[in-house]
């Protein structure tokens, strides 16, 4: 009998030791990753590995994102669908929670979910969004708005005045100026201290303060349709302004039209938009290299087009490819990371993990 008690006692002791050691190992795991002062999250909408490789081939073997030291994959499934849309895909990255397709940072019960941009702002960081679509479109919206449907552009625009990121650059002027509720959000933004600009020419002159640049009524043009280097210039402007905050910043950048090229099964459009996004990645990478305290993550919300590269020549920059669908696909998408905390993004991860890893890199707690 006494021996039995002794036996059980030993097992209990061993259990405590194991649990103690485990938590110690986890703590050590956490502190192994250095803290990031700034995070630049860059989303190529619909950008699968084939899109990346198509751009790499067209550029004759040169692409900024392929020089990143840490690479991984992200699983893109949503709470409602095997194949996500950009609403649920953006929500996963922005909030760390999977939700239904079409949601804008609300959960499956349509309750608001706090976003990484909102957490950064609450912690005193500067925040920004730079995209090549209307700023009310699904991907950017998931970082500052909370709506049950991505179709509610005017409600999403109104949410931007609640969250008030410091720098917002994209299109979508009409959702602020010609509204069913008769509110003039452009005037309201000015009253809140924003400089509101409606052309790309004003961008480079902007040095500090709060900026909203809505350079098109709806979406900005394609890169070949006159948009030029708007995205790269926007990222540079945002970095100039946001980096003045001593506590740090969070910046979300989207190559929005890679997805649309996939939907249209237009290879040339796809390659041009992916190269344009990569140029913006180059601007971010350049900043991060000089700064040393900036974590840059490049990923996608899902793949679009089921792109398959069927022939090509890297030396010539030629590429042949086939699309398998006009819609999104289920495959995992690439993750590229650079800077303090980058190591955490290696391996196969859930899209929601990216949010938690960013939070950990900042050393912020869940709200
Ligand atoms: Mg998008
Ligand atoms: Zn799409």
């Amino acid at each position: 009998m006494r021996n039995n008690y002794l036996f059980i006692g030993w097992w209990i002791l061993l259990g405590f030791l194991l649990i103690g050691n485990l938590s110690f190992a986890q703590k050590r795991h956490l502190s192994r990753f250095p803290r990031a002062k700034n995070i630049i999250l860059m989303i190529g909408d619909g950008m699968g590995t084939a899109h990346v490789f198509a751009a790499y081939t067209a550029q004759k073997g040169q692409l900024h994102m392929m020089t990143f030291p840490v690479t991984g994959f992200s699983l893109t499934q949503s709470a409602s669908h095997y194949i996500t849309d950009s609403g649920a895909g953006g929500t996963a990255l922005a909030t760390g929670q999977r939700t239904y397709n079409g949601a804008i940072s609300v959960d499956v019960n349509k309750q608001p979910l706090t976003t990484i941009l909102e957490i950064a702002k609450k912690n005193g960081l500067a925040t920004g969004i730079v995209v090549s679509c209307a700023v009310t479109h699904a991907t950017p919206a998931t970082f500052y708005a909370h709506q049950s449907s991505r179709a509610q552009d005017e409600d999403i625009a109104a949410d931007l005045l609640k969250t008030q990121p410091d720098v917002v650059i994209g299109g979508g002027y009409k959702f602020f100026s010609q509204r069913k509720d008769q509110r003039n959000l452009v005037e309201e933004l000015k009253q809140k201290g924003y400089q509101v600009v409606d052309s790309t020419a004003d961008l480079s002159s902007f040095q500090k303060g709060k900026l909203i640049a809505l350079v098109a009524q709806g979406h900005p043009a394609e890169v070949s349709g006159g948009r030029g280097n708007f995205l790269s210039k926007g990222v540079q402007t945002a970095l100039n302004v946001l980096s003045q905050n001593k506590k740090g910043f969070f910046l979300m950048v989207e190559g929005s039209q890679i997805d649309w090229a996939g939907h249209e099964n237009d290879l040339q459009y796809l390659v041009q938009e992916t190269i344009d996004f990569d140029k913006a990645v180059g601007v971010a990478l350049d900043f991060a290299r000089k700064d040393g305290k900036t974590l840059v993550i490049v990923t996608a919300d899902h793949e679009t087009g089921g792109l398959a590269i069927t022939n090509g020549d890297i030396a010539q920059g030629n590429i042949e490819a086939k699309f398998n669908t006009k819609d999104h696909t289920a495959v995992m998408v690439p993750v590229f990371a650079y800077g303090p905390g980058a190591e955490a993004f290696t391996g196969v991860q859930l899209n929601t993990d990216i949010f938690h890893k960013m939070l950990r890199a900042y050393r912020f707690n869940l709200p």
Side-chain angles (χ1 to χ4, degrees):
M1 196 62 182
R2 238 188 108 186
N3 263 346
N4 266 354
Y5 281 127
L6 204 65
F7 186 72
I8 290 163
W10 274 115
W11 274 109
I12 289 169
L13 189 65
L14 195 67
F16 272 118
L17 277 172
L18 274 174
I19 289 164
N21 266 334
L22 249 182
S23 64
F24 175 70
Q26 279 167 341
K27 272 177 211 152
R28 206 174 49 181
H29 181 72
L30 239 176
S31 63
R32 213 178 63 206
F33 296 114
R35 184 183 170 272
K37 180 187 174 193
N38 313 309
I39 296 181
I40 307 172
L41 174 64
M42 311 190 74
I43 304 171
D45 196 314
M47 186 184 75
T49 50
H51 302 59
V52 174
F53 199 73
Y56 172 82
T57 304
Q59 292 269 81
K60 301 183 179 176
Q62 300 224 340
L63 211 63
H64 294 294
M65 55 186 119
M66 282 172 65
T67 68
F68 277 45
V70 178
T71 52
F73 288 102
S74 168
L75 302 167
T76 65
Q77 282 60 49
S78 75
S80 63
H81 290 78
Y82 182 56
I83 296 175
T84 190
D85 85 312
S86 292
T91 300
L93 296 168
T95 74
Q97 299 237 23
R98 283 187 166 174
T99 186
Y100 61 92
N101 283 12
I104 299 297
S105 287
V106 294
D107 66 13
V108 289
N109 301 312
K110 303 191 174 173
Q111 296 305 303
L113 296 163
T114 310
T115 76
I116 184 83
L117 187 148
E118 290 166 333
I119 296 168
K121 193 179 167 79
K122 220 170 264 172
N123 280 275
L125 275 64
T127 56
I129 288 170
V130 181
V131 295
S132 47
C133 61
V135 300
T136 53
H137 207 243
T139 312
T142 57
F143 286 81
Y144 66 82
H146 306 278
Q147 295 295 339
S148 58
S149 166
R150 59 183 288 171
Q152 296 162 254
D153 288 272
E154 293 185 8
D155 297 325
I156 290 166
D159 276 357
L160 196 133
L161 279 88
K162 291 183 194 155
T163 307
Q164 295 189 40
D166 299 279
V167 177
V168 179
I169 300 172
Y173 197 91
K174 67 180 176 191
F175 301 117
F176 293 79
S177 59
Q178 299 158 36
R179 300 168 53 84
K180 285 191 203 90
D181 64 7
Q182 304 298 320
R183 274 173 75 182
N184 184 340
L185 297 188
V186 172
E187 280 312 309
E188 289 185 35
L189 280 161
K190 284 178 185 167
Q191 280 159 20
K192 289 186 188 294
Y194 279 90
Q195 186 180 331
V196 184
V197 305
D198 56 9
S199 92
T200 52
D202 304 349
L203 276 184
S204 39
S205 66
F206 191 80
Q207 293 300 329
K208 62 178 187 185
K210 297 203 300 187
L211 170 71
I212 180 156
L214 303 168
V215 303
Q217 287 294 327
H219 299 302
E222 295 179 15
V223 66
S224 62
R227 198 176 82 231
N229 57 2
F230 162 73
L231 193 68
S232 299
K233 263 170 67 182
V235 171
Q236 190 59 65
T237 300
L239 290 173
N240 292 347
V241 176
L242 300 178
S243 63
Q244 292 170 29
N245 185 312
K246 289 196 175 70
K247 286 190 172 173
F249 65 80
F250 173 80
L251 173 63
M252 194 286 286
V253 179
E254 186 197 20
S256 317
Q257 301 193 23
I258 300 168
D259 173 65
W260 306 348
H263 283 291
E264 290 175 26
N265 286 186
D266 184 333
L267 183 63
Q268 198 187 354
Y269 181 19
L270 183 148
V271 166
Q272 283 170 347
E273 290 296 330
T274 309
I275 291 171
D276 177 65
F277 177 58
D278 188 66
K279 280 185 191 156
V281 171
V283 172
L285 191 58
D286 213 38
F287 175 88
R289 280 206 187 102
K290 287 177 193 145
D291 176 71
K293 296 168 194 155
T294 302
L295 170 62
V296 185
I297 305 143
V298 182
T299 189
D301 48 357
H302 53 75
E303 196 270 358
T304 307
L307 184 66
I309 299 175
T310 51
N311 202 357
D313 186 321
I314 293 170
Q316 300 294 321
N318 294 334
I319 172 163
E320 290 171 32
K322 281 182 182 149
F323 291 90
N324 284 295
T325 174
K326 297 220 160 185
D327 216 323
H328 304 167
T329 70
V331 288
M332 48 192 188
V333 292
V335 180
F336 306 99
Y338 174 94
E343 296 85 348
F345 294 85
T346 194
V348 179
Q349 57 217 299
L350 298 175
N351 48 6
T352 50
D353 289 339
I354 292 171
F355 164 87
H356 292 286
K357 289 170 184 180
M358 288 193 291
L359 212 60
R360 200 168 71 185
Y362 274 137
R363 300 287 190 272
F364 292 159
N365 295 318
L366 268 174

